[in-house]
Each structure stands twice: as structure tokens, then as C-alpha cells.
Amino acid sequence: MDLATLWFCIIAAFWLGYLFLEGFDFGVGMLLPVLGRDDTERRVMINTIGPVWDGNEVWLIVAGGAMFAAFPAWYAGLFSGAYLPLLIVLLALIGRGVAFEYRGKIDSARWRRNWDRVIMIGSWIPPMGVGLLLATTVLGLPLDAEGNRVGSAFAAIRWDTILGALAIVGFSLVHGAAFLALKTEGELRERARTLALRILPAALAPLLLLLVLVQSKEGEIWTAFALAAVPVAAAIAFWRLAVGREGQAFAALATVITAAALILFGALYPDVLPSTGDPANSLTVADASSSPYTLTVMSWVAAFGAPAVLVYQSWTYWVFRKRIGTKHIPKVHAPK
């Protein structure tokens, strides 16, 4: 395996890490007004992701940064091709982060309700944008011979890329509900588990349709096995939720998104951005990669940096592993 292919696999792993980790904390934010019946329950929900949500976003930064450094032509073609959707995603992420920080600064129900709305909106938009971006990089853009997008700034918005947006939103919803059932106790836990059971088939349907579409267009024999694993893992997640084993259901959903990433990036290779017009204009791993020297330096940095990030994040999840409920939430102590 050459360095360019190795970095293609590493970037795929970064995107998988982002979808898995940020997927559930987006889901928690989306479900904030659905499952949180009062301010205390909403604080419980926010506290389940409070110690980890900003660390989860590191995976998005690392994935985008690695694409920029290892495959500058891929980064330029994809990110400039979906410039407007990504700008909206960035604004939503900024608003979401600000809302987490400012929500408890004033002891006012109206103040908290407004920031809750920002958290909810900021949790719906990014998975839509990321799903659209991933579907675009797998299903392609109209590219000219120079690798530039042909057409308007909305060329990335098509029925198949919208299906990609719905796929990631649906997965985040059910992943968030399963995470809440795993991390909370009492009525909130039961409500989250019941909701996860009700929405799981419909929420994962767009993801399965997207994967079938990708497999039919660009799939390989080995990705067909990964596709077969998706409904099996989803059925296991449903079964384990039904018997109250939320941890095992959460792990089964992790298998769903891992198989999905294998299919998407496995079908994409050796391209990194197919052209929907002339296939000769598609960007390949070899065409888009940086110099061997750059990839070598990146490999040494990743060899030392990636384990450190993994150890730190694992430690964070271990420290905050216990369930929480309304009895653990203190009264509001907002500065006057």
C-alpha cells in the first residue's frame, strides 16, 4: 500500500470517528425539546454530552485538515463545490457551541428556551451538511478537466445528495436516542429507549437506501458483504433496545455506521471525487495527493498524535461513564 492510499484510509477512519462520536451528540441536541419535558430534564440531556461534545468535533477538524494536507485537490474540489452548505454548517456549529456556553449564564426561563432552540437548530443542520458532503464526494460533482466545479453553487444539491443528508440525520437521531437511554436513568431513560425503538426502522431507512444506491453504482464484491451487515446490525440494535440492553444496542449502531463508512469509501476508491459528466475528469487518489515528502511527514505526526488523542478521549469517556438523572442536577447558580 502506497502512502497516498494509506492516507485515503486514514481520512476515511477520521470521518467514521466523526460520524460515530458526533452523531449521538447531534442526536441529543435534536431531541432536546422532544424528550426534555422541563428545564431539569433538558439539563440532564445536555450534561450527558457536556464533557465530550467539543472533543467529538475535533474529528471533523482533523478529517478536513488531513484532506487539505494530503489531498489538496480533493479538498479544493469538494469544499469549494459545496461552499454554501458548508458555510451554513459552520455557522450552525458556532451557534451550537455558543449556546452550550451561554445557556446557564442568566437565571431566566426565556433565556434558556432561546438557547435551547439554538442548540436544536445547531444540531439538525450539521449532520444534514455532512451527509450532503459525503454523498457528494462519493456520487460526484460536475467537474471540468481542471477539477473545478461546473455549474452553480448549488450543483451539490441533488436528490441523491439530499438522500445522503437524510441518511446522516436519521442515523444521528436514533444514535442520540440510544445514547440517552444508555446514559440516563428513570423516566428519561425509558422515554429515550421507547423513542429509539419507534424511530429506528424509519430513521435508518435513508441510510440503507443510500448504501444500496452507492453499491449499485460503484460497489465491489467486498462492499456487498458490508452492505449485508447493515440491516443485520440494525435488527440487533432494535432487539437489544427492546430488552433494555442499551449498551449493546449502541455498539450495534456503531457497527451500522462502520459498515456504512466502509461501503461509501470502499466504493469511492480509487477516486476521491468522481465527475458526474466526463469520467476522465474525475479526481483520483494518485491525481489529488500531495508529494511523498509531505505524506511522510504527516505519517510521522499522525503516528504520535493520533494515539494521544485516542487515549485522552477514551479517558474522558471512562471518567464520565455513569448514568445521570434529575437528582444529580443542582439548582441554577447563574451569575447576577
Side-chain angles (χ1 to χ4, degrees):
M1 179 185 294
D2 59 20
L3 277 176
T5 301
L6 173 65
W7 270 98
F8 177 82
C9 296
I10 292 173
I11 289 170
F14 286 155
W15 279 111
L16 169 60
Y18 180 69
L19 294 173
F20 171 61
L21 294 175
E22 191 94 299
F24 69 75
D25 79 50
F26 282 145
V28 172
M30 286 189 273
L31 294 172
L32 197 60
V34 178
L35 292 175
R37 290 183 176 174
D38 55 35
D39 182 62
T40 304
E41 287 192 346
R42 288 191 285 274
R43 289 176 64 195
V44 170
M45 294 173 67
I46 291 172
N47 273 274
T48 61
I49 58 172
V52 297
W53 71 268
D54 49 355
N56 294 343
E57 289 190 352
V58 168
W59 289 82
L60 176 64
I61 298 169
V62 172
M67 286 175 66
F68 173 75
F71 300 99
W74 182 14
Y75 178 91
L78 180 62
F79 281 59
S80 63
Y83 179 79
L84 285 179
L86 286 174
L87 179 62
I88 295 171
V89 167
L90 180 61
L91 293 175
L93 287 173
I94 292 172
R96 185 172 183 260
V98 171
F100 282 133
E101 297 296 330
Y102 275 63
R103 185 183 186 279
K105 298 300 183 186
I106 295 179
D107 187 9
S108 160
R110 183 179 179 184
W111 172 269
R112 288 191 291 271
R113 276 199 305 273
N114 287 335
W115 285 117
D116 285 347
R117 293 188 184 104
V118 176
I119 291 172
M120 183 190 66
I121 295 169
S123 299
W124 277 92
I125 293 176
M128 288 185 193
V130 169
L132 187 140
L133 187 75
L134 287 177
T136 300
T137 200
V138 175
L139 298 170
L141 273 174
L143 301 175
D144 62 18
E146 304 298 324
N148 299 314
R149 183 198 68 219
V150 178
S152 73
F154 300 98
I157 301 176
R158 310 184 306 262
W159 73 268
D160 50 0
T161 57
I162 291 173
L163 179 62
L166 295 175
I168 302 304
V169 166
F171 173 78
S172 298
L173 266 176
V174 73
H175 204 34
F179 179 77
L180 281 171
L182 175 64
K183 288 291 294 178
T184 58
E185 58 186 28
E187 290 184 13
L188 185 56
R189 174 191 177 186
E190 287 305 312
R191 230 178 287 143
R193 191 173 70 86
T194 302
L195 180 70
L197 280 168
R198 287 178 178 171
I199 67 173
L200 189 147
L204 294 185
L207 179 62
L208 187 58
L209 287 175
L210 174 70
L211 298 179
V212 169
L213 176 66
V214 171
Q215 178 67 26
S216 67
K217 285 190 171 183
E218 303 290 344
E220 305 287 343
I221 293 176
W222 69 268
T223 57
F225 289 100
L227 178 60
V230 171
V232 174
I236 292 173
F238 187 89
W239 169 41
R240 302 320 286 166
L241 278 170
V243 297
R245 304 303 296 265
E246 294 94 349
Q248 295 174 9
F250 190 75
L253 288 170
T255 304
V256 169
I257 200 63
T258 301
L262 284 173
I263 297 163
L264 294 176
F265 285 94
L268 176 62
Y269 185 84
D271 291 336
V272 289
L273 186 59
S275 171
T276 55
D278 187 349
N281 295 337
S282 298
L283 288 175
T284 66
V285 168
D287 295 335
S289 68
S290 295
S291 68
Y293 175 77
T294 301
L295 297 179
T296 302
V297 171
M298 289 178 63
S299 301
W300 280 107
V301 172
F304 289 97
V309 172
L310 290 173
V311 168
Y312 171 75
Q313 283 209 303
S314 300
W315 176 78
T316 304
Y317 278 92
W318 174 255
V319 169
F320 296 100
R321 66 188 181 281
K322 293 184 178 179
R323 294 180 184 271
I324 60 173
T326 53
K327 66 184 180 185
H328 300 112
I329 302 298
K331 294 182 179 179
V332 175
H333 292 286
K336 297 181 180 178

